[in-house]
Amino acid sequence: MIHVSAFQDLAHLAIHKVGNSSQDEPLICSQAPLPLQDETIGQLLLNYFIQPFTNSAEYFRFFHEADLQLNEVFQYCKRIFADQESFYEQSVNIAKHLYKHSTHPKIKGGELYITYFNKCLTDGEEVPAIGIFKSENRDTYLKVFLSNDNYQVNYEDGININKLDKGCLVFNTEEGEGYKVSIIDSISKQNEAVYWKDSFLQVQRREDSYHQTETMVNMCKLFIQDKLPAEYEMSRVDQVDLLNKSAAYFKEKEQFQVDDFAQEVLGHPDAIASFKEYRDHFKQEFRQEIPDEFDISAPAVKKQQKVFKSVLKLDRNFHIYIHGDRELIERGYDEATNMHYYKLMFENES
């Protein structure tokens, strides 16, 4: 949970215009930070900057393949945390760094906001934070006003404060590991958007319970859907049943223990041995460190609910949702029609 309590906590704000460098759009830097005097505007800015992060539980760290100290944004933030007097100078450096990485032809230019918060609450810890936000999309607003006893209608071009395009909060904690970083990217699924996280910020997942839970959930799904059917004759119903058991384990338990999970969900010694072998292979292939025990993150489980799909899709005619007793569904083959069928047993219908 991320929270900034009051406008007074927003100590500094600089705004620069960062265009697309490959399209010869300019970089326009303000000559000084913006004075923070109007409390109403300040509260609107806080809502624009912070609200998208309030339900975020996923964190990243700055990194560099050679040396963390070579990560530019990490260095600029480090200098601001060490000396607030350098805020404006470093905000210009951040803008120049973003401009250098704004080369994809589909990247939109926009306003870049650099902020400094005196106090920002993250997971119960109150620390200073630096915000880096970019607005790329503008909306048109109708303006209705009274003039000479008659209402008039006009329009204005502006920014929707409920739609933050890109954002980053850097918390002044865990400096030696690359700080604790939270990220918002509203178009992260598009190819051109990776520049924000991968090129400009250069961050990687923070090794915490959220990341460990998310990784294990994905690994369990791949094992059940790909690995087990390749080794054993297994029906789709049995796969769904194992996915349901996995989902129940992650939802009901507070801590993941690999032996406990294997016994409770898989049960069979051969399947357990295959699971542990697959986990070792997964760790090596994806260079992921998965401990034998870790606290299960409820927000990560909630986000990954779609992984545990308990649905059988039969041609284009039927979907069967399996939520309970696997013994109440039976698969068969009808020779008269040369088609497969499922028999479902129940007591009541509604």
Side-chain angles (χ1 to χ4, degrees), residues 151-282:
Y151 279 99
Q152 304 292 329
V153 178
N154 206 334
Y155 68 91
E156 290 184 357
D157 182 49
I159 297 167
N160 187 335
I161 63 169
N162 296 311
K163 295 180 181 179
L164 178 64
D165 293 317
K166 287 179 170 56
C168 168
L169 284 174
V170 183
F171 302 98
N172 191 13
T173 182
E174 305 175 13
E175 176 190 320
E177 289 78 42
Y179 292 123
K180 188 176 179 182
V181 181
S182 185
I183 293 175
I184 294 293
D185 191 342
S186 63
I187 55 171
S188 60
K189 292 182 180 180
Q190 300 181 21
N191 292 332
E192 66 271 18
V194 299
Y195 85 99
W196 179 256
K197 181 168 70 74
D198 296 338
S199 301
F200 167 57
L201 294 172
Q202 269 194 287
V203 293
Q204 62 184 4
R205 294 283 183 83
R206 179 174 179 261
E207 293 292 338
D208 53 18
S209 62
Y210 187 101
H211 181 227
Q212 290 161 347
T213 301
E214 184 180 58
T215 300
M216 181 55 74
V217 166
N218 285 321
M219 196 209 78
C220 291
K221 173 203 171 187
L222 293 173
F223 173 73
I224 292 169
Q225 291 191 340
D226 299 335
K227 178 68 172 177
L228 274 181
E231 293 186 349
Y232 307 98
E233 186 174 339
M234 189 178 214
S235 70
R236 181 74 181 104
V237 174
D238 289 329
Q239 287 184 54
V240 171
D241 184 50
L242 285 179
L243 288 173
N244 284 339
K245 288 180 179 179
S246 299
Y249 183 93
F250 281 102
K251 288 177 183 178
E252 296 168 5
K253 302 283 187 177
E254 293 183 355
Q255 187 176 59
F256 180 90
Q257 296 180 328
V258 65
D259 291 331
D260 179 54
F261 173 85
Q263 290 289 344
E264 190 168 323
V265 175
L266 301 174
H268 195 281
D270 290 343
I272 292 174
S274 178
F275 174 73
K276 292 185 176 180
E277 179 185 331
Y278 184 79
R279 189 182 72 135
D280 292 339
H281 171 73
F282 186 92

Side-chain angles (χ1 to χ4, degrees), residues 82-134:
D83 179 14
Q84 288 190 49
E85 295 296 322
S86 71
F87 171 80
Y88 169 73
E89 177 187 354
Q90 303 310 325
S91 76
V92 172
N93 287 336
I94 292 172
K96 290 178 178 178
H97 182 63
L98 177 60
Y99 186 67
K100 182 176 71 174
H101 289 282
S102 300
T103 57
H104 192 285
K106 291 187 178 180
I107 291 176
K108 296 180 180 179
E111 289 78 21
L112 180 70
Y113 305 82
I114 314 294
T115 63
Y116 184 90
F117 301 100
N118 286 322
K119 291 184 294 185
C120 198
L121 188 67
T122 169
D123 293 340
E125 183 181 14
E126 198 173 70
V127 295
I130 294 168
I132 305 171
F133 314 98
K134 188 186 178 196

Side-chain angles (χ1 to χ4, degrees), residues 301-318:
V301 173
K302 183 178 180 180
K303 184 179 178 182
Q304 295 297 104
Q305 281 180 339
K306 62 182 181 297
V307 166
F308 300 113
K309 289 184 178 179
S310 55
V311 183
L312 284 177
K313 296 181 180 180
L314 309 180
D315 300 329
R316 295 185 177 180
N317 299 316
F318 306 102

